[in-house]
Amino acid sequence: MLPPIAKSQTFRPPKKIMNSTLVFFSFFLISLFCLSALAETSQASDGSTILFTTMGSSTFEFDIFTLPTSRRPPSPSDEHRLTDGKSINFNGHLASPSPALISLLPNTSGVQPQDKTLLHLIYVTERDGAPTLHYDVVHSDNKGTNVQVPLLSEQQSGMSVNSMKDTPVLTNEHLVYVSTHENSGKPMASWAAVYSTELRTKATQRLTPPGIADFSPAVSPSGKWTAVASYGEKGWSIVSKELSTDIYVFLTGDGTQRVKVVELGGWPRWTDESTLYFHRKSDDGWISVYRAVLPKTGPVSTKTVTVTRVTPSGIHAFTPATSPNNNDFIAVATRRPESEIRHVELFDLKKNEFVELTRLVSPKSHHFNPFLSPDSSRVGYHSCRGDRTNPHNLLQRLKTTPEDLSLFRFDGAFPSLSPEGDRFAFVTFTGVFVVNQDGSGLRQILPQVGFGTVWDPVRRGIVYTSSDPSLNFTAPGLVGTHKINILAVNVDARNPSSAVKKLTTGGQNNAFPWPSPDGKRIVFRSDRSGTKNLYIMDAEKGEAGGLFRLTNGNWNDTIATWSPDNNWIVFASNREYIGTLLMDLYVVHPDGTGLRKVAQNLTGGVSMHPMFSPDSKRIVFTTTYAGISAEPIGNPKFNVASSEIFTVNLDGSDFMRLTHNSVEDGPPLWFPKIKATGDVAWPKRFGASCAFEDFKSQNTTVKMNKRSLMCPSQ
């Protein structure tokens, strides 16, 4: 039996169900499960830690490289790495050394602006955890970096310390870039907007109108005009196609005279004051580069702009790069039909033919987002080369605004902390592991993937997960059809053959276990009745000790966690949008009473992976509330919509965003403050390098890759 709840107390929530067409799509939402056993006496006032995983981040290892455009074909010796291999470096811009830019360099730098062997690189780096902007002066002959200067310091007025900065471009005295530091004020609307900062004074102004999201800014050669990819007034939809932005142009000085010049286009780049290149998906299904010519006199609109397709069908060509008044060639990223790799090529505008570059230098590496030097002599891009000489972090510390909260990115899925605070459990595609908090003592405790890890709060060394040896991650869509059971794993068992105990015996899909604070019961999700609802069972005896059905309906209730004070269970549900992945957060008492939605402003999006703070007053979770933060095609696996980590009070107030990223931040884990105060490196390299795939489809509603398979149909 399950004290103190009787089986007859099955609760049917009095909720009006909204009819919705069944939508089958398993895109971005990796239903990972960050779990942790928390002591009831923990207090948030003592400080606490949130742990999360950024999907793919640990394998990106991007650095910025260049090749000369005149050397054809290029050789590996022609390629030079411009960034230093620390952290993730991407989305570069080679700038002309204006007086304002040079003024940022320390007096001891010794940089001579007239030195033609120096490259002035502005780029995005994640060395502080969140994407920020840096300025490096680099020798073009690969002798090394002269000087590095962080841009847009955290002390700048109005800038949140953990906001995202992206796609920088320098024009005259100003830096133009994307930032996510201002709340859009609308659910499911992106916070990405274009800003301009005067380099000397740091004076910053927003160029994007309120309530609008802009991406991928490009400034015309004179600096007068800025072009952006934007969803405009229509906003972003969770089921929209990736290339559904339009291109707008406005005055760089103040953002006025904004006008739409191209419908359905992205990644605009100028060659002169009236000519733009951009990408879009063509009617024949190929992503291609187009040219837009704006009228030099008269009104400018989509009706007066001439649009011509530039690259032919048969090859995906996107993220074009241009240089001022260069009508001879552009640089593009390509995906050829016989390849799964993204490469950078030149496209000869005179001969209308591609000129291969990076495939000849590194055929098995992805190359992203090319950019050209002002004189067209060099093409830059970022690539992952798996440099194993650099430290690989188990924990990466992020700067965050709340003073009593520490924020860490964890290198592994489903991380959970033991009650003693000495070990983490986590998941990879090769099994379930435990590791000491300092990165030592790594060992496998289960040879197959598990869905969720959580430590028993009473019985030392017991980790709960859900898995099955028959799981097949090579066949898309099969995970949801497999039988998955709740397992208790004794990580300290002397005999591995007796370490695993199966707690569920019925149903086809039992997942996401979470123990009560006293260790007596476990709440979990099961489809044993034909729909996925929540159940409670005995933590030691499993189903044999009795089963209580906590929720009951023809919807999907999933990913439940228990509050440390034992008063509430929080979970995600699509009960207002049955048959879809649109999920809201709900709380219910363990006896089935008191069901209510946590926050009304999350309705219509995807909010999942909730977990209580140590004092049970707040909830951390992932959500698409902030839309997407960058033009998707510029990212690895770009058809995965990004979710970010937010917190909210139990009563739905004080909504706060914690992470800003252009890719997906995974499920969060909230527990008392951990010992680590900075990055923690693996003592020995662990995990794959450059283990990511490029896009395979142009629609977010399709099933794809292992990342979506991490969710056993939620």
Side-chain angles (χ1 to χ4, degrees):
M1 299 297 293
L2 292 175
I5 302 173
K7 293 182 180 180
S8 60
Q9 289 179 291
T10 301
F11 174 67
R12 298 179 182 269
K15 187 71 178 178
K16 181 179 180 181
I17 305 302
M18 299 174 59
N19 293 324
S20 177
T21 303
L22 184 63
V23 178
F24 292 102
F25 58 103
S26 60
F27 56 95
F28 77 103
L29 225 77
I30 332 128
S31 286
L32 310 179
F33 193 25
C34 288
L35 310 165
S36 171
L38 301 174
E40 293 185 64
T41 58
S42 300
Q43 297 296 322
S45 59
D46 296 330
S48 57
T49 296
I50 290 177
L51 213 67
F52 70 98
T53 301
T54 297
M55 291 299 93
S57 177
S58 62
T59 69
F60 287 169
E61 299 177 309
F62 290 135
D63 268 309
I64 296 176
F65 298 78
T66 67
L67 277 170
T69 57
S70 59
R71 195 73 59 85
R72 304 178 186 180
S75 67
S77 62
D78 293 324
E79 185 183 58
H80 296 155
R81 188 175 75 174
L82 300 184
T83 47
D84 58 10
K86 297 179 180 178
S87 188
I88 302 172
N89 306 299
F90 57 99
N91 285 357
H93 166 69
L94 287 173
S96 298
S98 68
L101 187 63
I102 296 300
S103 70
L104 302 179
L105 300 175
N107 295 331
T108 57
S109 67
V111 172
Q112 300 298 321
Q114 66 275 14
D115 187 347
K116 301 300 183 182
T117 68
L118 297 179
L119 299 177
H120 297 260
L121 175 68
I122 298 173
Y123 63 101
V124 184
T125 181
E126 294 191 9
R127 64 193 64 205
D128 291 325
T132 57
L133 303 183
H134 266 228
Y135 164 42
D136 290 5
V137 180
V138 187
H139 284 281
S140 60
D141 56 5
N142 211 26
K143 290 182 179 179
T145 300
N146 278 3
V147 65
Q148 295 181 333
V149 178
L151 299 174
L152 306 177
S153 65
E154 63 186 64
Q155 290 79 21
Q156 191 169 347
S157 176
M159 296 289 186
S160 174
V161 298
N162 59 340
S163 62
M164 187 194 85
K165 307 295 186 294
D166 198 11
T167 50
V169 58
L170 182 68
T171 174
N172 301 322
E173 307 294 296
H174 292 78
L175 185 67
V176 177
Y177 56 95
V178 168
S179 178
T180 59
H181 69 272
E182 287 186 289
N183 190 338
S184 67
K186 298 188 298 184
M188 316 313 143
S190 174
W191 296 20
V194 173
Y195 296 81
S196 173
T197 296
E198 207 282 323
L199 292 178
R200 296 180 188 270
T201 65
K202 306 300 182 184
T204 298
Q205 63 174 329
R206 179 179 173 128
L207 303 181
T208 300
I212 301 296
D214 286 341
F215 313 97
S216 313
V219 181
S220 66
S222 70
K224 182 177 180 180
W225 299 102
T226 292
V228 296
S230 178
Y231 289 109
E233 297 288 346
K234 64 185 178 184
W236 170 76
S237 169
I238 197 169
V239 295
S240 67
K241 295 180 180 179
E242 295 80 8
L243 302 181
S244 60
T245 54
D246 302 320
I247 295 177
Y248 290 77
V249 170
F250 50 78
L251 287 175
T252 306
D254 57 9
T256 60
Q257 298 188 33
R258 182 183 177 100
V259 60
K260 183 194 295 186
V261 297
V262 172
E263 290 186 346
L264 294 181
W267 208 268
R269 294 296 182 263
W270 301 85
T271 55
D272 56 49
E273 295 302 297
S274 60
T275 306
L276 283 166
Y277 288 83
F278 63 95
H279 62 216
R280 71 156 57 134
K281 184 178 180 181
S282 304
D283 292 339
D284 55 20
W286 295 97
I287 304 174
S288 301
V289 173
Y290 287 74
R291 180 191 299 113
V293 179
L294 284 60
K296 295 182 179 179
T297 59
V300 178
S301 70
T302 55
K303 295 182 179 180
T304 62
V305 172
T306 302
V307 175
T308 306
R309 186 173 182 174
V310 174
T311 59
S313 62
I315 297 177
H316 288 305
F318 40 89
T319 59
T322 61
S323 54
N325 304 308
N326 177 2
N327 297 310
D328 295 327
F329 63 85
I330 59 175
V332 295
T334 63
R335 270 283 304 282
R336 291 179 174 263
E338 70 276 8
S339 174
E340 296 294 317
I341 304 297
R342 184 187 301 208
H343 283 299
V344 170
E345 306 187 34
L346 301 182
F347 187 78
D348 191 314
L349 298 170
K350 305 295 186 183
K351 299 180 180 180
N352 291 324
E353 63 183 23
F354 288 97
V355 179
E356 289 196 89
L357 291 179
T358 61
R359 187 188 67 83
L360 305 177
V361 171
S362 182
K364 296 183 179 180
S365 297
H366 288 285
H367 301 84
F368 293 85
N369 303 355
F371 54 96
L372 289 170
S373 60
D375 63 0
S376 303
S377 65
R378 304 195 72 85
V379 59
Y381 45 86
H382 60 270
S383 179
C384 181
R385 298 296 171 79
D387 187 351
R388 292 178 175 268
T389 62
N390 291 313
H392 190 175
N393 288 326
L394 167 68
L395 296 169
Q396 182 185 22
R397 177 73 180 268
L398 276 71
K399 296 179 181 178
T400 187
T401 303
E403 295 182 357
D404 63 344
L405 181 66
S406 60
L407 191 64
F408 283 90
R409 179 179 286 121
F410 188 90
D411 183 26
F414 314 141
S416 63
L417 182 68
S418 65
E420 299 79 18
D422 58 345
R423 292 181 288 184
F424 294 112
F426 67 98
V427 169
T428 75
F429 281 103
T430 59
V432 182
F433 294 81
V434 293
V435 65
N436 295 332
Q437 196 178 133
D438 63 0
S440 65
L442 176 69
R443 58 191 179 92
Q444 187 184 71
I445 62 171
L446 197 68
Q448 70 263 3
V449 174
F451 300 104
T453 67
V454 58
W455 298 77
D456 189 289
V458 177
R459 291 172 287 277
R460 180 176 173 83
I462 301 297
V463 171
Y464 299 104
T465 187
S466 49
S467 186
D468 189 85
S470 65
L471 285 175
N472 181 3
F473 286 91
T474 62
L478 290 184
V479 173
T481 66
H482 275 285
K483 185 174 182 179
I484 303 172
N485 282 295
I486 307 299
L487 306 177
V489 183
N490 185 349
V491 304
D492 298 322
R494 294 184 178 182
N495 184 0
S497 63
S498 62
V500 180
K501 180 180 180 180
K502 188 166 67 173
L503 298 180
T504 53
T505 57
Q508 294 298 309
N509 197 301
N510 306 291
F512 306 119
W514 188 280
S516 58
D518 58 10
K520 294 181 179 180
R521 294 173 289 171
I522 291 176
V523 62
F524 66 101
R525 191 282 319 277
S526 178
D527 69 349
R528 64 189 59 225
S529 68
T531 58
K532 295 182 175 67
N533 291 143
L534 302 181
Y535 295 79
I536 295 177
M537 65 179 174
D538 186 272
E540 291 190 87
K541 298 178 181 178
E543 289 188 38
L547 194 66
F548 168 62
R549 186 168 184 172
L550 183 64
T551 64
N552 190 349
N554 63 335
W555 47 72
N556 182 357
D557 295 335
T558 188
I559 312 179
T561 66
W562 222 301
S563 66
D565 64 8
N566 202 33
N567 286 330
W568 294 100
I569 290 173
V570 63
F571 62 97
S573 176
N574 68 348
R575 57 184 59 209
E576 289 192 22
Y577 299 92
I578 298 175
T580 76
L581 282 181
L582 301 180
M583 310 286 283
D584 291 320
L585 302 183
Y586 295 81
V587 290
V588 64
H589 292 304
D591 64 358
T593 64
L595 177 76
R596 63 176 175 82
K597 185 187 291 187
V598 173
Q600 291 295 330
N601 58 347
L602 295 176
T603 301
V606 182
S607 298
M608 297 186 73
H609 307 292
M611 179 178 173
F612 280 96
S613 60
D615 62 3
S616 301
K617 295 179 180 180
R618 290 181 65 77
I619 296 168
V620 65
F621 58 100
T622 61
T623 181
T624 59
Y625 177 88
I628 60 176
S629 296
E631 193 178 343
I633 195 172
N635 293 323
K637 301 181 181 179
F638 77 83
N639 56 345
V640 178
S642 59
S643 64
E644 304 289 343
I645 295 172
F646 281 70
T647 62
V648 66
N649 286 340
L650 182 59
D651 63 4
S653 63
D654 196 15
F655 200 51
M656 180 183 295
R657 180 176 182 175
L658 293 184
T659 64
H660 298 247
N661 211 318
S662 60
V663 291
E664 180 148 358
D665 286 331
L669 166 73
W670 202 342
F671 48 87
K673 201 174 188 72
I674 64 173
K675 298 176 182 177
T677 57
D679 295 352
V680 175
W682 287 103
K684 182 179 179 181
R685 180 79 183 208
F686 175 75
S689 288
C690 304
F692 54 89
E693 299 173 350
D694 202 14
F695 67 92
K696 292 185 177 180
S697 170
Q698 281 67 64
N699 195 305
T700 56
T701 64
V702 300
K703 299 173 182 177
M704 66 165 288
N705 65 51
K706 291 181 180 180
R707 181 157 51 174
S708 8
L709 295 179
M710 289 297 288
C711 166
S713 293
Q714 297 186 338

